[in-house]
Amino acid sequence: MIVLGIETSCDETAVALLRGGREVLANLVYSQTDLHARYGGVMPEAASRDHLRKLPSLLDEALATAGVRWSAIELVGVTSGPGLVGPLLVGMAHAAGIAVALNVPLLGVNHLAAHLFAHKLSEPGVPPPFLGLIVSGGHTLLAAVPRWGEYKVVGGTRDDAAGEALDKFGRLLGLGYPAGLKIDALAREGDPTAVPFPRPMIESGLDMSFAGLKTAAVYWRRDHPATPVPNLCASYLEAVVDVLTEKAIRAARRLSLPRIIVVGGVAANQRLREILPERAGEWGLAVHFPPPELCTDNAAIVAACAHHRFTELGVPGSLALTPDPNLPLDGWI
Ligand code: KG4
Ligand code: ZN
C-alpha cells in the first residue's frame, strides 16, 4: 500500500510517500524558518500562506522523487492537530481534495503520535512497550506506549517546551532562531559546571517547568556579563538535559517500561544523546534515538501513523475532519 503523508501543523511544509508502512519513497521537508526568523518565533498567518504557496509544488516533487503516479496512492494521512489552526487547515484541505479526487480514504493523524512513529520507521524490530519522550520546540511530554495506538501521557512541561526554552535563551544571546543547534555546538566548547542554573522540579514527579530557567539566565547575564557564551550555553543546556534525563528515567522505572524512545527536534541534541543513554543504562534501560531527519517535523511519520491506524487498527477514513489545535495524545487511537 502506498500512503501519502502531509504535515503542516507548524512551520514545516512536509510531504512523504511511504510503501508498505515502512519503506520511505520520498520524505520532503520545506522549512519556513527563514520566514519566521525576523519575528523570533512562528508567525501563524505568514505560516498558513507559505504552506499554501509551497504545498502544490512539494507534492509534485515528492511524486517525482518517489517515481510514483497520483493514481498509485491508496491512502492519504494528514496531521489534524495539535498545531496552529490556519496551517493545519491548509494541509487538511489539500489532503481532502486529493482523497476526493483519487477516491481513496483520508485519515487525520495526531502530530504527537506521529512523532513516536519515527521509532517504528527506524527500528521496526523493537516494538512497544516503551516510554516516549517527545521533546521539540512546541511540545515536551512523556507518554507510556504499551502498544502502537495506545498512548498515556504521564508527564510533561507545565509551561515552555524544552526547545522553546533553548530558543528563548538563544534570543537572549542573539544567536538567531531557532537556536537549539547553535547552542548544541557552542556548548561543546564550554564548561557545563560554569553557571549553577537551577534544575526546576527535578526532585520529584514527572512534570517539568522550563520558564524559570530562562528567567535565571536573564538575571545571570545582567549580574555576570563577562561569562563566556560557550560556558553559558553548556551550563544552560546541561540544566535542560539533566531535567529531561531525570524525568524520563523516573517515568520508565515507575511504569516498568524497558526502553525510552526520544523524538522531536531536541532529540538531535548531542549532549542529550550522550547523557540519557549513559544514565538510563545504569538502571538497565535502553534508549533509542531515531535519525534526526525522522525526529524533526516530517511527513513520513504522519504516513506511517496513518498506515498503522488504517491497516492494523481498522480506523475508517473520513472526509469530515476538523483541525484541533489542542488535540490531546492521551486516549487518541
Ligand atoms: O520538532 P521540531 O523540528 O519542530 C517542532 O517544534 O515541532 O523541533 C524544533 C526545536 C527547536 O526548538 C530547536 O531549537 C530544537 O528543536 N533543536 C535542537 C537541536 N536541533 C533542533 N535543540 C537542541 N539541540 C539540537 N541539536
Ligand atoms: Zn513536531
Side-chain angles (χ1 to χ4, degrees), residues 1 64 68 71 105 117 124 180 190 204 208 213-214 226 230-231 240 268 288 294 303 315:
M1 168 179 266
V68 160
S71 58
F117 273 77
S204 63
M208 302 170 231
L213 198 50
K214 183 204 64 191
N231 283 356
V240 172
H288 300 257
L294 291 176
V315 178

Side-chain angles (χ1 to χ4, degrees), residues 7 9-12 33 42 111-112 115 134-139 161-168 177-185 237 240-241 263-273 292 295-298:
E7 151 66 41
S9 64
C10 189
D11 60 345
E12 261 95 31
T33 44
V42 179
H111 180 76
L112 300 170
H115 266 305
I134 304 173
V135 63
S136 71
H139 306 278
E164 188 181 358
L166 291 170
D167 293 338
K168 285 180 174 172
Y177 170 85
L181 188 59
K182 276 195 194 133
I183 294 168
D184 194 356
L237 181 61
V240 172
V241 167
V263 293
V266 182
N269 186 263
Q270 288 306 313
R271 192 66 181 149
L272 184 62
R273 284 177 176 253
C295 280
T296 50
D297 285 353
N298 69 90

Side-chain angles (χ1 to χ4, degrees), residues 192-206:
T193 63
V195 183
F197 282 125
R199 270 66 173 157
M201 300 176 74
I202 202 164
E203 297 305 329
S204 63
L206 300 177

Side-chain angles (χ1 to χ4, degrees), residues 15-294:
V15 175
L17 287 153
L18 191 69
R19 179 156 50 205
R22 72 160 305 225
E23 189 191 348
V24 180
L25 302 177
N27 190 19
L28 305 184
V29 181
Y30 167 76
S31 175
Q32 303 178 348
T33 44
D34 289 348
L35 172 69
H36 302 292
R38 78 186 98 145
Y39 306 111
V42 179
M43 158 80 134
E45 181 51 33
S48 302
R49 273 187 271 134
D50 212 40
H51 286 306
L52 196 57
R53 179 184 70 81
K54 190 69 192 174
L55 206 42
S57 62
L58 207 63
L59 281 158
D60 286 338
E61 205 183 320
L63 287 162
T65 304
V68 160
R69 290 169 194 267
W70 282 106
S71 58
I73 295 168
E74 295 165 85
L75 174 69
V76 180
V78 62
T79 307
S80 60
L84 301 167
V85 69
L88 286 169
L89 205 51
V90 173
M92 292 169 74
H94 267 80
I98 293 167
V100 168
L102 300 177
N103 195 23
V104 298
L106 172 71
L107 279 192
V109 166
N110 182 310
H111 180 76
L112 300 170
H115 266 305
L116 295 168
F117 273 77
H119 175 65
K120 192 165 197 277
L121 280 176
S122 56
E123 293 192 63
V126 186
F130 61 75
L131 179 89
L133 168 60
I134 304 173
V135 63
S136 71
H139 306 278
T140 294
L141 56 92
L142 296 162
V145 183
R147 61 190 65 84
W148 290 114
E150 202 176 318
Y151 315 99
K152 172 120 192 72
V153 176
V154 295
T157 185
R158 292 192 182 169
D159 41 54
D160 292 354
E164 188 181 358
L166 291 170
D167 293 338
K168 285 180 174 172
F169 175 68
R171 185 159 13 154
L172 180 70
L173 300 184
L175 298 178
Y177 170 85
L181 188 59
K182 276 195 194 133
I183 294 168
D184 194 356
L186 284 163
R188 302 194 80 71
E189 294 152 28
D191 173 6
T193 63
V195 183
F197 282 125
R199 270 66 173 157
M201 300 176 74
I202 202 164
E203 297 305 329
S204 63
L206 300 177
D207 277 348
M208 302 170 231
S209 164
F210 293 105
L213 198 50
K214 183 204 64 191
T215 311
V218 170
Y219 290 132
W220 185 274
R221 283 276 280 175
R222 187 194 64 189
D223 299 339
H224 308 83
T227 309
V229 169
N231 283 356
L232 273 172
C233 289
S235 301
Y236 192 89
L237 181 61
E238 200 73 1
V240 172
V241 167
D242 271 350
V243 171
L244 293 172
T245 298
E246 182 69 27
K247 300 285 175 172
I249 293 172
R250 185 177 294 151
R253 292 187 58 223
R254 202 176 272 186
L255 298 156
S256 303
L257 295 166
R259 65 189 83 251
I260 298 168
I261 310 301
V262 194
V263 293
V266 182
N269 186 263
Q270 288 306 313
R271 192 66 181 149
L272 184 62
R273 284 177 176 253
E274 281 166 17
I275 298 282
L276 180 54
E278 191 182 300
R279 294 192 193 150
E282 290 167 16
W283 297 101
L285 298 166
V287 182
H288 300 257
F289 290 89
E293 68 275 15
L294 291 176

